Amino acid sequence: MIAKHLHTLELPKILDRLAGCCSFSASAALAHALEPATEPGEVRRRLAETREAREALNKNDQLTVGGARDVREAVRLAERGGVLEPQTLLAIRDTLLSGRNIQRALSRFGAIYPHLTTITNAIEPSGALVAEINRCIDDSGEVRDTASPELAAIRREVRVVHDRLLAKLQRMVSDASNAPYLQEALVTQRGGRYVIPVKSDFKGRIPGVVHDQSASGMTLFIEPLATLELNNEWRELQLAEEREVRRVLTALSGLVGVEADSIVRTVEAIARFDLALAKAKYAEATRSVEPQIVSHAEDAGRDTPSPALSLQQARHPLLDPARVVPIDVALDGIRALVITGPNTGGKTVALKTVGLLVLMAQCGLHIPCSGASLPVFEAVYADIGDEQSIEQSLSTFSAHMTNLRSFLERVNERSLVLLDELGAGTDPAEGAALARALLEYLLRAGAICVVATHYPELKAWASLTPGAANANVAFDYETLQPLYKLTVGLPGRSNAFAIAQRLGIPDEIIATAKDYMDRNVARVEDMLAEIARLQQQAERARDAALRSQREAEANAERIRSRLNAIEDERKALLQQAREDALRETEQLRAEVRRLRNRIVAAGGTLDEAKRIEQEVERLVEAAVASRLEPVAAEPQRKRTIQVGDTVQVKSLGAMAEVSAIAGDEADVQIGRLRMRVKLGELEQVRGPARKTAEREAEYGLALARPPAPPLELDLRGLTTDEGVARVRDYLDRASRAGLPFVRLIHGKGTGALRRAIRDAIRNDPAVQSFETGLDGEGGDGVTVVKLKAA
């Protein structure tokens, strides 16, 4: 890989963002130094590391390298005999502890994260060194008293002498005889020695050594001769403490130097692990996916020597995610893709997107798209942008040719070549001929190449050459704006006239320019424009159909939910009816017992009372049977479904009436909803009405409710008084018939009838609640009323 081409495709900018996801400098340095791998096995390994890191972070978002630092330079210094400061030793300790924690966290998941575990297995925790640093240095960076017996003894003496020194000085400043000579009654320090502030006029009154004086010269800071020996002793003990601390640090640094190679390997392993975490974080931030890697060996037997390159909904990672338009690129059997279309239409972005995503994948990064299948390239060459140079006396054309010359001889079947405005900057006829010759050379070399151009000659060449194909960047011919969509299969138009007209060039000039165009070329351009326009219309129609399908599915789901709710309510009503029947039965039995007792008390025979009781029990059982008719229909002999049959739609679990039959399909009516379903989705239903009537006739009972009114009442065209009267009568009949809910159709209009009806039913004793109908039921023009159980 040549660095110049990586910069052209802006890979370093991606690596900068990747480095920003790293936790410490060693892993950030690895990110900046990352280069695309050229072997399929290595690319797959890198991608697998990223995949495992994403999975690990999803399970434990606290997974991190903790307090790891890049201590390699300090470790090498210790190896050369240098003495490390306490804070540096603590950084080494924290780094080793971080490595140990990472290793422990992944030790149980070796089978799940084999690639990450391979990285962490290289960590060498150096437990003895960590323990020694902890023993000698506290978390604030101070050497502990327990670091050595000598240091502990010296510090004890330091404290004793220090206390004696301060006590003696405090007695001096507290002595009333010295008060007139002191500027203040305090003890302070100058140059590491304790002194007292004496007025300059009385410097001889308290004998001692002058160490400093105030800015005004009015105060002298004097070390009294009486404390000179204690000050000297205290200072000597301080120097002894510093020497012992230095000795301890030297010993610890020596231990670090002995394990220098081990510590460096640990830092490098932690850095590799953190880089994998950074790749995972960047992949999550860019909503990226792992590409499928296809090698040339796996494509043996294909018709073309190059494996397929496929990107679905690919997005350039450096563009605003909210505004970038995804593109689809499929080069299955295609080795040369010629992209044409208007300026600023997205041709260059398409080239860079393909090249950059290939480089990212070979670096082990997941790429921002919905799916991808990529080969592994040995080299990616890009000639994009205007590279003219005044200093080097290079024109645009010369700069492009110089760049092409630098890599043409290296191109082979494992090369990806991206060329922007091939052959531009010179005579159009010569430029087109040269561009065609270059493409043919690249095809013979076996490379995959993607080219952006305006030359119509290249459009024709791509249409007629095996292994080549056209592509275009979409242009909205109604708004005269580019759409930034890439479509493979058809060439595009440059739309120079349309763009010039949009930018304000007079119509007269544009009309004249059109007259100058070759008639055949103009017809071809017009045909391409018509094809593109029809394609856009087809895409809009497809999008509208998909939206309608989604809306229909959403409406069907709402209907299913409503029907399920109705079914639940029906079951609740039946359960309530059972409970009411049982309660009434118990009341009836109690009444029979009271009647029997009264008959016996009145002198009637017991046999007569028993006969009456048995008859009543028989009537009670018949009544209960009619009230508690099972919900499920009895098995019945199968017959052909006919128009007018009541059926159940299995997929919806809803009752419906057959309104028409055509072949193996039937039109059914579910309330206001009419739909067509397969006959196999319908099941005949026979309700319990006939059996109940037979029982009632047999036992002479009549417990049936009055006939049910329809589920809907149409009130449109009525006055408010008429509508309210009709509604009250209708709700009374519906409630007595046991309907769970009804629909009142009052229309939208001015809303007066709707308000009057809702005010009337608000306090109706039969009404439990009401609501506005769904969009499929009529919306504001319908009120759905839920009735109380009778």
Side-chain angles (χ1 to χ4, degrees):
M1 295 285 180
I2 300 175
K4 174 185 176 181
H5 300 284
L6 304 186
H7 279 81
T8 299
L9 294 171
E10 301 178 291
L11 179 64
K13 292 182 180 179
I14 299 296
L15 299 183
D16 287 342
R17 296 191 177 188
L18 177 64
C21 297
C22 295
S23 298
F24 74 123
S25 58
S27 53
L30 286 180
H32 282 121
L34 197 58
E35 293 184 353
T38 58
E39 293 300 324
E42 174 63 14
V43 174
R44 290 192 182 96
R45 186 193 64 77
R46 293 183 179 188
L47 291 171
E49 284 181 1
T50 305
R51 179 182 67 249
E52 291 178 9
R54 292 182 75 173
E55 293 173 357
L57 282 176
N58 287 333
K59 291 182 179 179
N60 180 12
D61 58 2
Q62 301 300 315
L63 187 62
T64 177
V65 298
R69 299 290 182 271
D70 186 2
V71 296
R72 289 175 293 182
E73 185 176 343
V75 168
R76 292 305 183 191
L77 174 62
E79 187 181 28
R80 295 192 299 269
V83 179
L84 305 180
E85 295 299 319
Q87 292 296 340
T88 303
L89 290 166
L90 288 181
I92 293 172
R93 179 204 65 179
D94 293 342
T95 300
L96 294 173
L97 287 175
S98 174
R100 183 185 67 183
N101 294 336
I102 294 169
Q103 199 172 55
R104 288 178 177 177
L106 292 181
S107 61
R108 295 172 297 166
F109 304 105
I112 302 176
Y113 309 129
H115 294 88
L116 292 184
T117 304
T118 299
I119 295 175
T120 58
N121 284 343
I123 294 174
E124 303 175 37
S126 302
L129 177 59
V130 170
E132 186 63 13
I133 294 175
N134 277 331
R135 187 185 71 80
C136 296
I137 303 175
D138 63 23
D139 290 338
S140 63
E142 296 294 329
V143 177
R144 301 178 189 271
D145 292 356
T146 55
S148 72
E150 293 81 2
L151 183 59
I154 291 171
R155 284 181 172 173
R156 280 195 301 271
E157 290 185 44
V158 166
R159 288 190 288 272
V160 170
V161 173
H162 181 263
D163 291 343
R164 288 170 55 200
L165 174 60
L166 286 183
K168 192 165 187 177
L169 286 170
Q170 194 61 43
R171 286 195 299 271
M172 291 184 69
V173 299
S174 301
D175 190 344
S177 61
N178 292 329
Y181 314 131
L182 299 176
Q183 197 69 261
E184 288 183 83
L186 60 82
V187 177
T188 185
Q189 277 189 324
R190 287 295 185 275
R193 301 181 72 88
Y194 282 103
V195 296
I196 58 177
V198 179
K199 297 176 182 178
S200 58
D201 295 339
F202 300 103
K203 68 176 181 179
R205 297 290 184 174
I206 300 179
V209 178
V210 177
H211 286 278
D212 198 5
Q213 90 177 21
S214 65
S216 63
M218 301 297 293
T219 304
L220 299 176
F221 295 94
I222 295 177
E223 178 185 356
L225 292 177
T227 62
L228 186 61
E229 186 176 347
L230 280 175
N231 246 329
N232 289 339
E233 184 178 359
W234 177 63
R235 183 58 184 159
E236 288 172 0
L237 288 171
Q238 283 182 313
L239 294 174
E241 178 187 5
E242 291 176 4
R243 286 193 296 272
E244 183 59 23
V245 166
R246 182 76 175 179
R247 190 192 67 77
V248 170
L249 294 179
T250 300
L252 289 175
S253 299
L255 294 177
V256 171
V258 169
E259 298 197 34
D261 291 339
S262 171
I263 297 172
V264 168
R265 286 193 295 269
T266 294
V267 172
E268 291 172 350
I270 295 173
R272 287 176 56 201
F273 178 77
D274 188 50
L275 179 61
L277 295 183
K279 291 178 182 178
K281 294 173 185 175
Y282 185 67
E284 291 292 332
T286 54
R287 296 179 290 115
S288 297
V289 302
E290 180 180 359
Q292 179 185 359
I293 298 301
V294 182
S295 65
H296 286 72
E298 292 170 356
D299 273 299
R302 292 177 59 95
D303 294 334
T304 57
S306 297
L309 184 153
S310 175
L311 295 168
Q312 295 90 45
Q313 295 294 293
R315 308 180 304 278
H316 196 291
L318 297 177
L319 297 180
D320 183 359
R323 300 180 59 187
V324 63
V325 179
I327 62 172
D328 293 330
V329 180
L331 303 183
D332 190 2
I334 299 172
R335 290 182 290 117
L337 185 67
V338 178
I339 304 175
T340 50
N343 288 318
T344 71
K347 299 190 300 297
T348 302
V349 171
L351 291 178
K352 286 191 171 184
T353 300
V354 172
L356 182 56
L357 266 54
V358 165
L359 294 176
M360 288 175 62
Q362 293 185 210
C363 286
L365 294 168
H366 291 182
I367 56 179
C369 61
S370 62
S373 175
L374 301 175
V376 176
F377 296 100
E378 285 184 351
V380 177
Y381 302 112
D383 182 48
I384 298 174
D386 188 354
E387 300 186 9
Q388 64 177 325
S389 171
I390 295 176
E391 293 179 356
Q392 299 178 21
S393 300
L394 290 176
S395 65
T396 299
F397 178 75
S398 299
H400 282 300
M401 292 300 104
T402 301
N403 191 26
L404 285 169
R405 186 192 61 191
S406 69
F407 64 80
L408 275 178
E409 294 181 355
R410 305 182 187 183
V411 171
N412 58 31
E413 69 278 357
R414 292 192 61 193
S415 299
L416 173 64
V417 182
L418 307 169
L419 305 175
D420 189 22
E421 302 294 351
L422 180 60
T426 187
D427 177 83
E430 294 180 355
L434 182 59
R436 176 175 174 176
L438 284 168
L439 285 176
E440 291 175 350
Y441 173 86
L442 293 173
L443 276 183
R444 288 195 301 272
I448 291 180
C449 50
V450 184
V451 179
T453 183
H454 288 284
Y455 289 136
E457 293 87 348
L458 293 187
K459 302 178 190 178
W461 176 85
S463 298
L464 300 174
T465 303
N470 278 298
N472 69 85
V473 285
F475 187 80
D476 192 324
Y477 292 92
E478 296 178 3
T479 64
L480 300 180
Q481 295 285 346
L483 299 177
Y484 307 108
K485 293 182 179 179
L486 181 69
T487 304
V488 177
L490 286 175
R493 297 180 65 204
S494 295
N495 297 296
F497 295 150
I499 294 174
Q501 190 173 29
R502 177 169 61 87
L503 296 176
I505 300 300
D507 294 341
E508 178 184 356
I509 296 175
I510 293 173
T512 303
K514 289 182 178 179
D515 291 338
Y516 290 151
M517 279 192 66
D518 182 274
R519 296 300 178 187
N520 292 328
V521 174
R523 280 197 296 271
V524 171
E525 291 292 314
D526 290 341
M527 289 176 60
L528 289 174
E530 181 63 16
I531 292 172
R533 186 182 64 80
L534 293 174
Q535 186 180 38
Q536 291 175 12
Q537 289 181 353
E539 289 177 355
R540 293 191 186 101
R542 181 197 61 192
D543 293 342
L546 290 175
R547 285 195 300 271
S548 297
Q549 181 182 358
R550 287 193 292 267
E551 292 173 1
E553 291 172 351
N555 288 333
E557 181 61 30
R558 284 196 295 269
I559 291 171
R560 280 194 291 271
S561 299
R562 174 66 67 88
L563 291 174
N564 289 336
I566 292 172
E567 178 64 15
D568 292 342
E569 187 173 350
R570 184 180 71 85
K571 291 179 180 177
L573 289 172
L574 289 173
Q575 181 62 29
Q576 183 64 40
R578 292 188 181 95
E579 294 173 358
D580 291 345
L582 291 174
R583 186 170 57 253
E584 292 172 4
T585 299
E586 289 302 319
Q587 292 174 355
L588 185 56
R589 287 195 177 105
E591 183 63 26
V592 168
R593 287 193 293 270
R594 285 195 296 271
L595 289 173
R596 184 187 63 180
N597 293 336
R598 289 177 61 186
I599 290 171
V600 173
T605 65
L606 189 59
D607 292 339
E608 181 66 18
K610 287 183 177 179
R611 188 186 66 76
I612 295 173
E613 184 175 4
Q614 290 172 355
E615 181 65 22
V616 170
E617 280 293 330
R618 188 170 66 82
L619 295 175
V620 166
E621 290 175 0
V624 172
S626 66
R627 287 291 294 272
L628 301 182
E629 187 69 30
V631 177
E634 289 184 347
Q636 59 183 5
R637 182 173 56 85
K638 294 287 184 180
R639 68 175 180 83
T640 304
I641 295 175
Q642 300 176 359
V643 175
D645 283 355
T646 299
V647 296
Q648 183 182 42
V649 183
K650 298 177 184 177
S651 59
L652 297 178
M655 306 298 293
E657 181 178 343
V658 179
S659 57
I661 297 177
D664 62 345
E665 294 182 330
D667 291 341
V668 297
Q669 191 81 21
I670 306 175
R672 293 177 60 85
L673 176 66
R674 185 183 181 92
M675 61 188 299
R676 172 162 290 192
V677 296
K678 296 286 186 182
L679 288 174
E681 283 293 309
L682 302 179
E683 184 178 43
Q684 291 178 343
V685 175
R686 184 177 70 183
R690 187 182 62 79
K691 290 181 65 181
T692 302
E694 291 174 354
R695 282 203 183 97
E696 290 174 355
E698 181 183 352
Y699 295 111
L701 297 175
L703 299 180
R705 287 175 169 162
L711 284 174
E712 295 178 345
L713 178 62
D714 194 343
L715 303 165
R716 289 174 291 188
L718 300 179
T719 65
T720 55
D721 292 337
E722 293 172 343
V724 169
R726 289 278 300 277
V727 166
R728 287 175 175 164
D729 176 69
Y730 173 71
L731 291 180
D732 179 66
R733 290 187 290 115
S735 175
R736 286 188 288 108
L739 295 182
F741 74 95
V742 294
R743 283 188 285 271
L744 305 179
I745 305 173
H746 42 64
K748 298 179 181 178
T750 62
L753 182 58
R754 179 181 67 245
R755 290 192 295 272
I757 289 173
R758 291 184 177 180
D759 290 338
I761 67 176
R762 198 179 306 277
N763 299 318
D764 195 301
V767 175
Q768 179 174 333
S769 63
F770 62 91
E771 62 184 13
T772 300
L774 299 174
D775 292 340
E777 296 177 317
D780 290 334
V782 172
T783 297
V784 180
V785 182
K786 186 177 181 181
L787 300 175
K788 296 179 181 177

